[in-house]
Amino acid sequence: VLERLYATAGGLPENDKIEAFCNIGVLSGNCGEHELSLKAFEAAESIEGCGRDNSLNVAVALGQLGRVDEAVTKAKFCDKKMSRSHTILANLLQDQGNFDDSLEEYRIAVRQDKGFLLPIQNGTEVGLKLMRFDVVEELQDYLQYVKGQDIECALVKAYFHEARGHPWDAIETLLP
């Protein structure tokens, strides 16, 4: 079905193609069809231009296919003012095993996308792996901006306390 939708999207009016290809890319990725996802995002990128939203989508799809070096290169050339750009680059750098640069990107991401839990969660994981408690504490400060995810935020806090050797603080964080 998704392949047929992809084929049909090429015949849409020009102003509808980007959205159609982007939606097909998202659906394909969610279904584990990462090759088609990449193809759809590349089609959207060819219309939209490089360095924009669909270039980030291409980077994510490349990463899903295990082509992490290509994904990192693509993400590095995207406009860093775009929402989620630093989080995506940080995730890819983490996948690449480049933890120091990944942690720095997560630090930027939490400031750029206040209220987005993912860079706090992933940055906490990387920071603890690197034993950078100072940076993790900085990331934890941004949990106050996350709304509607109280349980998830409590788990991130508890993970940090437990890793620092404060199990009672971790337990206290999880209590109602």
Side-chain angles (χ1 to χ4, degrees):
V1 171
L2 293 170
E3 283 284 352
R4 285 195 309 264
L5 288 173
Y6 174 83
T8 304
L12 292 173
E14 224 27 59
N15 56 342
D16 294 333
K17 283 182 184 180
I18 293 174
E19 184 178 359
F21 283 129
C22 185
N23 288 336
I24 292 164
V26 170
L27 289 169
S28 298
N30 289 343
C31 292
E33 298 292 331
H34 300 298
E35 287 289 347
L36 180 57
S37 178
L38 175 61
K39 196 163 110 176
F41 287 136
E42 285 176 334
E45 179 188 43
S46 72
I47 299 165
E48 182 181 62
C50 290
R52 304 190 45 156
D53 289 327
N54 282 296
S55 293
L56 282 174
N57 291 334
V58 168
V60 171
L62 286 166
Q64 291 294 318
L65 289 166
R67 295 164 56 185
V68 181
D69 292 342
E70 288 175 75
V72 167
T73 299
K74 176 67 80 173
K76 281 183 176 180
F77 286 104
C78 289
D79 182 354
K80 295 300 183 278
K81 293 178 192 146
M82 289 187 303
S83 176
R84 312 289 196 257
S85 61
H86 289 281
T87 299
I88 290 169
L89 178 56
N91 291 344
L92 293 167
L93 288 166
Q94 183 180 0
D95 291 346
Q96 192 180 48
N98 188 344
F99 299 116
D100 290 315
D101 288 347
S102 175
L103 186 58
E104 187 55 37
E105 287 296 325
Y106 285 129
R107 289 176 81 186
I108 297 167
V110 297
R111 292 189 297 271
Q112 179 179 346
D113 292 324
K114 281 186 182 172
F116 186 39
L117 182 58
L118 188 63
I120 302 168
Q121 284 176 312
N122 292 357
T124 295
E125 180 183 324
V126 171
L128 292 175
K129 186 177 292 193
L130 295 173
M131 304 288 283
R132 292 290 311 274
F133 297 121
D134 58 324
V135 176
V136 175
E137 198 162 341
E138 176 189 325
L139 295 172
Q140 297 284 302
D141 289 342
Y142 285 88
L143 287 169
Q144 67 183 313
Y145 300 107
V146 178
K147 304 297 179 215
Q149 293 180 290
D150 295 344
I151 293 170
E152 294 88 345
C153 288
L155 286 170
V156 171
K157 287 180 191 176
Y159 180 50
F160 175 51
H161 290 309
E162 193 275 329
R164 288 182 65 194
H166 301 130
W168 292 113
D169 290 337
I171 291 168
E172 193 173 286
T173 298
L174 295 173
L175 292 175

